[in-house]
């Protein structure tokens, strides 16, 4: 439990703490009081409910969700810039219902590329480097846990930015 200068700093701090233990946090719920102050519930990233097996599904999809109850509260203090991290009072919110992950790449939050990494990736894409070489570079020199699919997704996002909403043919012209 501690106070943080910004919401981003708080989320970064709790995910750094959780990464060493095999877990990750996401924003679960956000509420605004009558005074205008926010309360955010940060939950385990496996807090979503798994699909019911009795229902017939169109696609064979999977989920990492286990309905994990683990969560903490962040409350905006009166000065509206500082955030206070607090444990939830009920004991059921202090225990995970699943084992910790073996590797950080199991959590999308820990695979996220920083802005500097995305800029470097964009420059490598523009120079014609293949995705496998880009992943190797990022892992060796940028210390990231991004998977090959994360690299492909970031390359696609970079190309969409270049097109600026136009089709590929119109952007080329």
């Amino acid at each position: 439990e501690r106070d943080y200068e910004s919401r981003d700093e708080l989320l970064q701090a709790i995910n750094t703490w959780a990464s060493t233990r095999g877990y990750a946090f996401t924003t679960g719920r956000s509420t605004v009081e009558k005074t205008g102050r926010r309360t955010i519930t940060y939950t385990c990233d496996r807090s979503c409910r798994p699909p019911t097996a009795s229902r017939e599904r169109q696609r064979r999809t999977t989920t990492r969700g286990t309905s994990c109850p683990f969560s903490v509260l962040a409350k905006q203090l009166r000065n509206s810039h500082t955030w206070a991290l607090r444990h939830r009072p009920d004991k059921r919110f202090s225990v995970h219902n699943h084992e910790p992950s073996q590797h950080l790449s199991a959590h999308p939050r820990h695979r996220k590329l920083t802005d500097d990494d995305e800029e470097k990736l964009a420059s490598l894409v523009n120079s014609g480097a293949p995705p496998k070489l880009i992943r190797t570079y990022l892992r060796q020199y940028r210390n990231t846990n991004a998977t090959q699919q994360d690299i492909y997704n970031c390359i696609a996002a970079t190309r969409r930015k270049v097109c600026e909403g136009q089709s590929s043919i119109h952007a080329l012209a």
Side-chain angles (χ1 to χ4, degrees):
E1 296 188 353
R2 201 177 126 204
D3 294 347
Y4 295 91
E5 291 300 318
S6 70
R7 182 176 168 183
D8 293 333
E9 181 186 344
L10 184 145
L11 184 58
Q12 179 67 31
I14 62 176
N15 272 316
T16 301
W17 177 86
S19 68
T20 60
R21 291 158 177 82
Y23 300 105
F25 283 99
T26 58
T27 302
R29 179 176 297 192
S30 178
T31 58
V32 179
E33 297 174 3
K34 290 180 181 179
T35 61
R37 296 188 322 182
R38 286 187 179 272
T39 300
I40 301 172
T41 305
Y42 289 106
T43 60
C44 177
D45 68 339
R46 299 183 84 187
S47 65
C48 62
R49 292 189 183 114
T52 58
S54 62
R55 196 174 126 223
E56 187 64 32
R57 298 181 55 89
Q58 286 183 330
R59 296 183 188 96
R60 289 184 179 215
T61 61
T62 59
T63 181
R64 297 172 44 251
T66 62
S67 298
C68 182
F70 189 86
S71 59
V72 294
L73 292 176
K75 291 192 176 196
Q76 192 175 20
L77 298 180
R78 292 192 191 275
N79 64 9
S80 77
H81 297 292
T82 308
W83 291 83
L85 179 68
R86 302 290 178 252
H87 291 284
R88 295 185 75 176
D90 197 348
K91 292 282 186 196
R92 67 184 169 144
F93 298 117
S94 63
V95 180
H96 291 276
N97 66 358
H98 56 91
E99 295 295 319
S101 300
Q102 297 297 319
H103 195 269
L104 291 178
S105 64
H107 302 280
R109 171 64 69 181
H110 298 311
R111 295 191 321 245
K112 187 166 173 38
L113 295 173
T114 63
D115 292 337
D116 292 339
D117 292 343
E118 287 182 5
E119 287 177 19
K120 187 61 178 177
L121 185 138
S123 69
L124 289 170
V125 167
N126 292 336
S127 68
K132 189 173 183 178
L133 182 66
I134 293 171
R135 185 185 76 187
T136 302
Y137 175 83
L138 289 175
R139 286 199 175 167
Q140 286 180 351
Y141 299 108
R142 298 292 185 147
N143 194 22
T144 183
N145 293 312
T147 62
Q148 191 72 29
Q149 189 61 50
D150 295 327
I151 302 299
Y152 287 136
N153 292 343
C154 197
I155 289 170
T158 302
R159 289 184 177 149
R160 282 192 300 272
K161 282 182 190 175
V162 169
C163 291
E164 295 176 350
Q166 302 174 1
S167 68
S168 301
I169 298 299
H170 286 105
L172 182 62

